[in-house]
Amino acid sequence: MTVTLRYFAWVREKVGRAEELLTVPPAVTTVEELMNWLKTQGPEYERAFERAAVIRAAIDQTHVKPGAAIAGAREIAFFPPVTGG
Amino acid sequence: MTVTLRYFAWVREKVGRAEELLTVPPAVTTVEELMNWLKTQGPEYERAFERAAVIRAAIDQTHVKPGAAIAGAREIAFFPPVTGG
Amino acid sequence: MAVRVQPEPFDLAGEVEMLRAGRTDLGAVVTFTGTVRDNSGGQRLVAMTLEHYPGMTEAELARVEAEAAARWPLAASLIVHRMGRLVPGDDIVLVVTASAHRAAAFEAADFLMDYLKTSAPFWKQEELADGTVNWVEAKASDEDAAGRWLGKPE
Amino acid sequence: MAVRVQPEPFDLAGEVEMLRAGRTDLGAVVTFTGTVRDNSGGQRLVAMTLEHYPGMTEAELARVEAEAAARWPLAASLIVHRMGRLVPGDDIVLVVTASAHRAAAFEAADFLMDYLKTSAPFWKQEELADGTVNWVEAKASDEDAAGRWLGKPE
């Protein structure tokens, strides 16, 4: 599947871009699997997703857990825990 | 002793005045005794202190309980439970 | 820390600005504004007159404010209470609390309102649409709310 | 009920006036203003930059506001959150709640702030006096505070 990935805060800084369109292999079905697959896509991803346990995700602008299925997603975002307010 | 008495809200309306200087007999030593004595001083006091249990008191502008001693008081106030805010 | 009783309306923005002026140590500012509602127990309210005990009011408000300052790390606080005749939509009371921390500002403002309602010597008289004029009865719920803070460890 | 994200400062008095305009059914209006402090863990803070996730932010804030409106009898509410570079003393966030009843206004404002802090996609980057630039770490205390509301019967 092809999906827009978005990165925020230090995840964005480490990946080196804010947004990209990626084609994800069919074997990658959850958010967690997507993070693990991204780590194999180059040193910038490896660094960005090193602390994968603290990274949060959203599918189509809704918070999701690592086990969430990515099927049908148009936009998947990765970011650190939020610190607004 | 001679003391200034002040009345507020419906206590004031029933007594018919906001403030007066009264000489209290020595046998009257607490706020509760003062209310009971006032009740014998005329029909307006009788009406005002009919529901003595709900009336609150302050001595020299500090909330006190019915058992509080009045010795040394300059100003004693009687009023219904407060309803500000 | 300041308390005021006045017949005049107060200016929320002006009060908050004065309290914050030149300060960069505040992280949280909470305001509570109590206003006159057009309804009292299902009856239309025309006006409300606030009587108070001059001198004791200021003393009680200052005592309540000092108590809040002792319980929470407040950087600043303000209580303004109006007196006299007010109509629906008018402001009655303003409480402002400022702290480095949000929980302190929220809890102190809530505390100030609870204690103000049960200890400041104000009495409200209502004029209803049917011509009735009556003194507002104290609410047991206000006593209960104030009771929340008793013995609270801080 | 309204939410806004903007780089511009907000006007506390103007926002509250708009929310209250023409209404006489409100008894209580609570505002919370979060501001930039000059201190971060003992270090002097020079500036703070807020990054957010456009679209998702507005959706999350609206969801949080709807949740508050479902839990409490709110007559009106507003959330304004700033983004971009801010300096000490600047406002970051404004929450306003209005209700016929004081407890509802207080609790809803407190709830909105807790949830906003744990669910709205904002990230703060700090510039300290020693030249350090770092992303603010999320506080466990914010998660704990938000947890207070879980399963609360209302």
Side-chain angles (χ1 to χ4, degrees), chain D:
Chain D
M1 313 287 155
V3 302
R4 265 176 15 236
V5 181
Q6 61 187 42
E8 300 82 20
F10 49 77
D11 169 24
L12 172 65
E15 300 294 352
V16 170
E17 264 166 44
M18 250 187 294
L19 189 132
R20 288 180 57 177
R23 298 193 71 151
T24 51
D25 59 331
L26 310 173
V29 182
V30 169
T31 74
F32 176 89
T33 308
T35 66
V36 181
R37 280 198 290 154
D38 55 12
N39 180 292
S40 177
Q43 280 261 23
R44 193 163 67 77
L45 185 134
V46 174
M48 173 175 277
T49 302
L50 277 143
E51 174 174 339
H52 81 123
Y53 184 170
M56 179 167 169
T57 307
E58 290 80 356
E60 277 297 309
L61 293 180
R63 195 186 60 73
V64 165
E65 199 182 41
E67 170 95 24
R71 281 174 175 244
W72 288 278
L74 289 185
S77 64
L78 170 71
I79 303 175
V80 185
H81 204 300
R82 293 181 69 189
M83 47 160 293
R85 192 166 186 275
L86 305 173
V87 297
D90 280 355
D91 291 334
I92 303 171
V93 62
L94 173 67
V95 161
V96 186
T97 53
S99 175
H101 304 286
R102 137 172 142 270
F106 265 121
E107 288 180 24
D110 198 7
F111 170 91
L112 286 173
M113 278 308 302
D114 279 342
Y115 269 80
L116 192 157
K117 284 204 169 249
T118 53
S119 84
F122 282 96
W123 300 275
K124 288 185 183 125
Q125 192 177 51
E126 294 178 338
E127 300 170 43
L128 303 179
D130 66 1
T132 320
V133 174
N134 53 258
W135 293 96
V136 174
E137 296 265 330
K139 280 187 231 154
S141 60
D142 286 334
E143 286 284 350
D144 293 348
R148 286 187 292 158
W149 308 100
L150 290 175
K152 195 180 181 195
E154 278 301 331

Side-chain angles (χ1 to χ4, degrees), chain B residues 2 10 13 18 23 32 34 36 39-40 42-43 47 54 63-64 66 68 71 73-74 77 85:
Chain B
T2 296
W10 56 255
E13 288 182 337
T23 300
E32 194 169 14
L34 177 56
N36 287 332
K39 272 201 242 184
T40 67
R47 274 193 300 274
V54 308
H63 291 289
V64 294
R74 280 165 293 125

